[in-house]
């Protein structure tokens, strides 16, 4: 198992968290996504996966949810 922590900007509520969790959770090999919401600030997101994830795929998933990796 691999754990990756990223910082995401722009999330303000539970709906935002759900959107990011859904997109990241859809990446192949991802088993868990945990978000510590700092409304309006930078929120740490921890991704647990079966293997290393491509940084581009992580950024694309967060972008698809409507947010940005800092």
């Amino acid at each position: 198992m691999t754990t990756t922590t990223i910082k995401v900007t722009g999330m303000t509520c539970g709906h935002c968290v759900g959107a990011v969790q859904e997109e990241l959770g859809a990446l192949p090999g991802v088993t868990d996504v945990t978000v510590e919401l700092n409304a309006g600030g930078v929120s740490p997101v921890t991704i647990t996966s079966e293997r290393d994830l491509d940084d581009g795929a992580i950024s694309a998933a967060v972008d698809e949810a409507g947010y940005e990796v800092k």
Side-chain angles (χ1 to χ4, degrees):
M1 291 297 229
T2 300
T3 301
T4 305
T5 301
I6 59 173
K7 295 179 180 180
V8 177
T9 60
M11 294 187 289
T12 60
C13 65
H15 175 74
C16 302
V17 169
V20 169
Q21 287 176 318
E22 181 178 342
E23 291 297 332
L24 289 171
L27 294 174
V30 171
T31 58
D32 187 52
V33 179
T34 304
V35 178
E36 286 184 47
L37 179 63
N38 291 323
V42 178
S43 299
V45 177
T46 303
I47 307 159
T48 304
S49 60
E50 296 170 347
R51 59 182 178 271
D52 289 337
L53 298 173
D54 177 69
D55 290 342
I58 292 172
S59 292
V62 172
D63 186 60
E64 183 67 27
Y67 306 96
E68 183 179 344
V69 175
K70 181 159 175 90

